[in-house]
Amino acid sequence: ISEMKTDFINNMTHEFKTPVSTIMIASEALKDSEVAIDRNRIARLANIIYEENERPGSHIERVLNIARIDKNDFKLEKKPLDVNEMISLVVDSMALKLQKCEADLILELDADNAVINADELHFSNVLYNLIDNAIKYSGDKPQITITSTNKNGHVIIKVADKGIGMSRDQQSKIFEQFYRIPTGNVHNVKGFGLGLSYVNTVVKRLNGTINVRSEKDKGSEFELKFQGA
């Protein structure tokens, strides 16, 4: 646990250092008298500052969410949600990210009775985390398949990738706080090791289950199962 917390602190420091450095460079450029008369450059630099400032904000929110979970100060506002609709919305919100890494995304949303009782914000965060992980642990040009089906009154969602996969030992640890899968030659993986811990907690609080099937170098598949509304 001590080692994982040290890794977490190192990762968090790195994640904050990058946007802070970029903001500093952009701010210094704004002081330049030549830049001050170029409205286009001012607008571009202001946009960089705004975007880079958003990143630490979202990181802080994720860390605070975990703190709330630990204290059990974590309220879910459940209402009927259409799973197919939610998946489509999250995928749309990630369109630029998916496009940037040239992801091949297949949606097979075949659940006819796709409504479950869930908290809209946290359920969409669960989907975002699973898709984001599929991108992170896939290397170049990720191949991701998201499906929804019905079985025995349940709605089943699967997020599968063809990425680096996991060993049995890693699969047993992935829902622990701060744990991050060793990535070998994949160097674009950032984060604090909080995502799947958060996903696991939210799914359980929504009375659902989460399982993972994975094989080293062949990819992973996460399966969520919820009672239909």
Side-chain angles (χ1 to χ4, degrees), residues 5-23:
K5 284 189 176 180
T6 302
D7 282 347
F8 165 73
I9 291 164
N10 289 339
N11 287 329
M12 187 166 73
T13 306
H14 177 75
E15 290 277 351
F16 282 107
K17 198 174 177 183
T18 308
V20 167
S21 300
T22 309
I23 289 167

Side-chain angles (χ1 to χ4, degrees), residues 57-109:
S58 67
H59 292 329
I60 290 164
E61 195 54 41
R62 285 168 68 192
V63 175
L64 289 175
N65 265 335
I66 297 298
R68 289 188 196 111
I69 289 169
D70 280 351
K71 287 181 179 176
N72 216 17
D73 179 23
F74 187 57
K75 293 176 179 67
L76 294 173
E77 294 178 23
K78 295 181 189 178
K79 64 178 184 181
L81 292 179
D82 186 307
V83 162
N84 293 342
E85 208 174 282
M86 292 300 297
I87 292 169
S88 297
L89 286 170
V90 171
V91 166
D92 283 349
S93 77
M94 299 180 79
L96 281 176
K97 190 171 213 171
L98 290 160
Q99 199 176 318
K100 192 176 177 183
C101 63
E102 297 179 59
D104 178 15
L105 178 70
I106 298 167
L107 291 180
E108 295 175 354
L109 308 179

